[in-house]
């Protein structure tokens, strides 16, 4: 199951959920402010990062500025506790499944959550559209828009 960690005022979170809806992918929205998040949830997210805390901590957040902590030097249990107490530290949206993590919304990268057969079909369809456009002459494109 895909989980999307969000906050209500986040436009990128809305885009991620709209994309999931458009592609008919089931997901669970987890509001970082109001919904319960377990230590295990946070550990799963951390386990999926490539560069650890750098990937998921928002250095521009007010919580980050206020706390003034070097996240690379603290112990894992301390990190999890700090995040549990200051959830706005997390970048968003965090889109997670059993194998993948996407931080933020990116139209191309989010496609990795499509099942492989559907990804292949979408790529083939997109290539066909590009080829069809390349074969149109300028007069053809004028006729299409009329």
């Amino acid at each position: 199951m895909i989980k999307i960690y969000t906050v209500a005022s986040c436009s990128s979170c809305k885009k991620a959920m709209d994309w999931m809806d458009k592609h008919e992918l089931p997901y669970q929205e987890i509001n970082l402010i109001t919904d319960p998040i377990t230590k295990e949830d946070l550990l799963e997210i951390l386990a999926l990062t490539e560069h650890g805390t750098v990937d998921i901590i928002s250095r521009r957040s007010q919580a980050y500025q206020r706390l003034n902590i070097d996240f690379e030097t603290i112990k894992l249990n301390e990190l999890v506790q700090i995040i549990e107490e200051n959830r706005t530290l997390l970048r968003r949206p965090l889109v997670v499944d059993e194998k993948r993590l996407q931080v933020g919304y990116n139209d191309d990268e989010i496609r990795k959550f499509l099942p492989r057969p559907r990804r292949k079909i979408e790529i083939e369809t997109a290539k066909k559209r590009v080829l069809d456009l390349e074969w149109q002459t300028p007069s053809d494109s004028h006729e299409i828009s009329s």
Side-chain angles (χ1 to χ4, degrees):
M1 164 68 72
I2 299 169
K3 296 179 182 178
I4 305 177
Y5 293 86
T6 68
V7 294
S9 61
C10 173
S11 61
S12 293
C13 297
K14 175 84 169 104
K15 286 179 187 177
M17 291 185 295
D18 287 348
W19 189 91
M20 293 288 172
D21 291 339
K22 176 183 173 189
H23 290 86
E24 299 177 350
L25 294 174
Y27 64 91
Q28 175 186 6
E29 178 185 6
I30 301 167
N31 186 302
L32 286 168
I33 308 302
T34 60
D35 293 336
I37 301 173
T38 67
K39 178 179 181 177
E40 289 74 24
D41 292 331
L42 295 173
L43 291 173
E44 286 175 14
I45 292 168
L46 277 166
L48 292 170
T49 64
E50 289 185 30
H51 303 98
T53 57
V54 172
D55 291 348
I56 62 169
I57 298 292
S58 173
R59 297 183 185 276
R60 296 185 303 178
S61 71
Q62 290 178 1
Y64 180 86
Q65 304 300 323
R66 184 182 72 249
L67 292 169
N68 195 26
I69 296 172
D70 182 0
F71 285 91
E72 298 303 317
T73 62
I74 62 175
K75 294 179 182 175
L76 184 59
N77 283 335
E78 291 176 87
L79 172 66
V80 170
Q81 183 176 353
I82 290 169
I83 292 173
E84 285 178 321
E85 295 169 359
N86 301 275
R87 295 180 185 183
T88 58
L89 279 170
L90 294 173
R91 295 174 65 194
R92 47 210 174 252
L94 294 174
V95 184
V96 181
D97 69 8
E98 299 79 27
K99 300 177 214 164
R100 295 170 286 250
L101 166 68
Q102 179 175 324
V103 180
Y105 177 77
N106 179 298
D107 221 11
D108 293 325
E109 290 179 21
I110 200 165
R111 294 185 181 288
K112 66 186 167 190
F113 290 97
L114 285 171
R116 192 173 302 271
R118 283 186 53 197
R119 258 186 285 164
K120 186 175 180 181
I121 290 169
E122 284 201 5
I123 290 169
E124 290 171 359
T125 303
K127 285 180 182 177
K128 184 177 177 342
R129 275 191 235 131
V130 168
L131 289 173
D132 288 346
L133 289 173
E134 287 175 355
W135 284 101
Q136 289 181 354
T137 63
S139 61
D140 290 340
S141 60
H142 176 50
E143 290 172 12
I144 290 172
S145 62
S146 296

